[in-house]
Amino acid sequence: MTGLRAPQHHVMTNTMTKTPMPSQKPIPPKADAAIREIVGEKGIIAAADAAPYLEEWRGKWRGQTNLIVAPATTKDVADIVKICAEHRVAITPQGGNTGLVGGQMPTEGELLLSLKRLNRIRDISPLDGAMIVEAGVTLAAAQNAALDVDRFFPLSIGSEGTCQIGGVISTNAGGVNVLRYGNMRDLVLGIEAVTPSGEIWQGLKRLRKDNTGYDLKQVFIGAEGTLGIVTAASVKLFPLAKETSTVFAALPDPGAAVRLLSRAQTASGNQTTSFELIGRYGLDLVLKNISGARDPLAATAPWYALIEFSAGTPETLPTMVETFLAEALAAGEITDATIAANAKQAQALWHIRHAMSEAMKPEGLPQAKHDVSTPLSRVPEFLDKADAAIEKIAPGARIVAFGHMGDGNIHYDVLPPDPVRGAGFADKIHAIEQAVYDVIDSCEGSISAEHGIGLARRDDLIARETGPALDMMRAMKSALDPLGIMNPGKMI
Ligand SMILES: Cc1cc2nc3c(=O)[nH]c(=O)nc-3n(C[C@H](O)[C@H](O)[C@H](O)COP(=O)(O)OP(=O)(O)OC[C@H]3O[C@@H](n4cnc5c(N)ncnc54)[C@H](O)[C@@H]3O)c2cc1C
């Protein structure tokens, strides 16, 4: 099968300044035959079934390859990689294909290696607070396996029904519970991976403490498939909270959100699990474009916080939340608030937050999407400066700012102005992105808080990374993958 080339996005070619890429050519027949033999008929994705693997969900990138395989064991993955190394065949690993920066797309004819058949829970131990899962287990299945033994696996993101453990490790995914439990980097105890030469690295430890040299598992976390293939992981489990409380509060400005977060953490004794920020315009779009969505509060406000608390002792939670809200009201940090009375109401509040991306879809293209972070205290400054910069470049552009405020992570999306004033917006996208990143740099922030680099942000990473960081990354890449066969053209 041959997928189409990326139609809307510039796919980079090799240059002297970038990591060497193997020449891209069709997979040699000998290698092709050997790989097919390893996976057998069950492990080959037929041309007719290839579309879901080669199309990014928003249609932003399309992959191209002549071979998509789904091996069922770690040994099969290792044997395939050995063949690829021998024949200099490049490989793109793929999990659930929900990545937002194009890292999972084989843009130059690479072998597409899906991990979906490595989908077993190998072990689960409530006493160790650990679970060993294979790379192709979906995040939702991993969460459910933990619940089955009265434990909690806290990583939670909008794509959890589809994305896979190998994918969330390789992108170091974040989501709504990072504030309390950390991102994927904090949740992994050990990793099993296939190196670019086809060796199996057995690093599936369940240790909370292990200072035996470099922490090799961290090399694979967030590596976006450029340093090897994650085949399984040992992840942390937590006690299940007995009670949660979900609050939707109206705020006068983002500065109030920073103070409110600090108050929530103090009041709850670090039991604030989520603290999401939602701008009024984003809420308006949800109300307009998502059927069944309701405004949770009577009066409108410029900003809202969706806050979730959890506790092991249910008795104290309601009192704590009520006192916290009363004090925040007195301090002028909130102007109104509602507490979900039951799980259904909590779900409705979370639905607003999760529907933000969907609500923007009908609002015209192109849209400039940014996934940025700053130190918490500088989020208000970022928002002020970025809004001003955008208004200069594209007067009337509509800004939807929302996201994981508790982590200083804002999804800052710029939509075209209404059609009458919107002419020429497409030509301004690059300038808008660069202006946002300039503000981020001035606020000591990051141009990619949780989605990664992939194809989408590679030029920006290379242009903006200062000091020896890029050299160190490239040294790691060439030490571990001297042939450059692992996901070439992505990240660095
Ligand atoms: C609706 C929606 C909501 C989202 N919300 C969030 C969010 O809140 N927070 C967040 O962080 N992300 C979010 N994402 C982004 C995305 O879900 C994550 O990046 C996720 O971690 C990707 O997992 P995946 O299995 O789909 O990986 P893929 O998209 O298949 O791959 C992602 C990258 O990882 C590499 N990779 C995949 N599996 C392996 C493996 N086994 N070994 C080595 N490399 C591998 C790929 O080559 C690629 O570079 C969201 C996406 C969607 C569509």
Side-chain angles (χ1 to χ4, degrees):
M1 87 222 39
T2 302
L4 301 172
R5 294 300 303 272
Q8 298 173 10
H9 201 89
H10 172 65
V11 176
M12 272 157 300
T13 52
N14 191 16
T15 73
M16 289 299 283
T17 59
K18 291 172 185 158
T19 306
M21 288 166 59
S23 61
Q24 296 298 333
K25 49 191 178 193
I27 298 169
K30 219 172 150 186
D32 184 287
I35 293 168
R36 284 173 192 270
E37 196 176 326
I38 290 168
V39 294
E41 211 174 303
K42 269 191 181 168
I44 295 167
I45 310 299
D49 304 322
Y53 301 83
L54 295 174
E55 283 169 17
E56 192 252 8
W57 72 290
R58 297 161 302 181
K60 209 167 174 191
W61 292 278
R62 282 199 183 161
Q64 57 154 18
T65 181
N66 292 316
L67 189 55
I68 305 176
V69 291
T73 66
T74 300
K75 183 177 179 309
D76 286 355
V77 175
D79 289 346
I80 291 169
V81 175
K82 272 184 202 140
I83 290 166
C84 290
E86 189 188 334
H87 294 271
R88 307 290 191 270
V89 172
I91 307 167
T92 296
Q94 191 179 87
N97 188 14
T98 67
L100 296 173
V101 291
Q104 70 279 20
M105 283 294 130
T107 47
E108 305 279 344
E110 300 91 327
L111 169 73
L112 181 57
L113 194 146
S114 164
L115 277 299
K116 68 171 190 174
R117 288 176 73 217
L118 269 83
N119 59 2
R120 286 162 289 253
I121 308 275
R122 290 194 196 162
D123 189 41
I124 183 158
S125 166
L127 289 182
D128 285 335
M131 167 169 75
I132 296 181
V133 278
E134 292 189 340
V137 172
T138 64
L139 178 52
Q143 293 165 345
N144 288 335
L147 287 178
D148 286 347
V149 295
D150 202 27
R151 286 290 181 270
F152 180 52
F153 181 59
L155 194 86
S156 177
I157 61 181
S159 55
E160 60 201 23
T162 310
C163 68
Q164 299 173 5
I165 289 295
V168 294
I169 287 174
S170 301
T171 57
N172 182 28
V176 294
N177 291 331
V178 172
L179 180 60
R180 166 78 178 81
Y181 297 97
N183 51 26
M184 204 53 196
R185 204 177 278 293
D186 304 302
L187 298 174
V188 175
L189 293 168
I191 275 184
E192 176 191 271
V194 171
T195 70
S197 60
E199 280 176 292
I200 298 171
W201 175 56
Q202 195 47 262
L204 276 181
K205 296 179 179 177
R206 298 175 205 189
L207 305 174
R208 304 277 160 162
K209 287 187 170 177
D210 176 19
N211 274 346
T212 50
Y214 298 130
D215 191 350
L216 292 177
K217 65 177 180 294
Q218 294 295 346
V219 168
F220 292 93
I221 302 173
E224 299 184 24
T226 61
L227 298 179
I229 301 177
V230 176
T231 50
S234 160
V235 296
K236 290 182 191 170
L237 301 180
F238 294 81
L240 203 52
K242 298 284 179 245
E243 183 90 354
T244 60
S245 178
T246 309
V247 171
F248 193 87
L251 319 176
D253 52 57
V258 177
R259 297 192 299 279
L260 186 68
L261 170 63
S262 173
R263 182 184 296 281
Q265 284 176 307
T266 308
S268 68
N270 207 25
Q271 297 298 309
T272 314
T273 37
S274 309
F275 193 105
E276 301 287 306
L277 186 72
I278 298 172
R280 178 69 212 186
Y281 187 62
L283 176 59
D284 283 340
L285 292 185
V286 172
L287 299 176
K288 176 183 163 203
N289 295 329
I290 304 293
S291 75
R294 291 234 186 103
D295 197 335
L297 298 171
T300 62
W303 294 94
Y304 300 89
L306 176 60
I307 314 169
E308 192 157 286
F309 300 96
S310 59
T313 48
E315 305 79 40
T316 55
L317 194 61
T319 318
M320 184 281 290
V321 172
E322 275 167 29
T323 310
F324 153 71
L325 288 176
E327 288 176 358
L329 196 64
E333 288 158 8
I334 63 172
T335 52
D336 194 4
T338 179
I339 306 171
N342 50 43
K344 200 171 162 206
Q345 286 185 9
Q347 248 173 19
L349 295 177
W350 273 108
H351 184 57
I352 292 172
R353 167 62 185 86
H354 289 312
M356 301 292 299
S357 300
E358 199 60 36
M360 278 183 266
K361 274 191 186 164
E363 292 298 316
L365 291 172
Q367 302 179 355
K369 305 247 179 190
H370 310 90
D371 160 43
V372 295
S373 63
T374 70
L376 265 169
S377 61
R378 299 191 74 171
V379 170
E381 176 190 346
F382 162 71
L383 290 168
D384 277 353
K385 285 183 173 170
D387 287 3
I390 302 307
E391 186 54 27
K392 268 194 197 152
I393 297 168
R398 295 167 296 163
I399 291 164
V400 179
F402 66 105
H404 315 302
M405 173 77 190
D407 319 320
N409 175 192
I410 299 297
H411 299 311
Y412 187 85
D413 297 343
V414 186
L415 278 45
D418 61 70
V420 183
R421 300 168 64 201
F425 184 74
D427 299 335
K428 296 175 178 168
I429 292 286
H430 183 71
I432 289 172
E433 288 178 350
Q434 296 313 309
V436 170
Y437 294 153
D438 285 347
V439 177
I440 278 296
D441 285 346
S442 78
C443 293
E444 301 173 288
S446 163
I447 63 164
S448 181
E450 61 176 12
H451 297 159
I453 297 296
L455 292 166
R457 301 284 171 241
R458 186 178 182 231
D459 276 348
D460 295 310
L461 174 74
I462 290 170
R464 287 174 184 272
E465 196 53 74
T466 52
L470 273 182
D471 288 341
M472 288 195 281
M473 286 194 234
R474 287 184 179 131
M476 282 169 70
K477 170 76 176 167
S478 55
L480 289 172
D481 181 20
L483 302 174
I485 61 169
M486 285 308 310
N487 218 2
K490 313 290 167 46
M491 192 194 286
I492 53 167

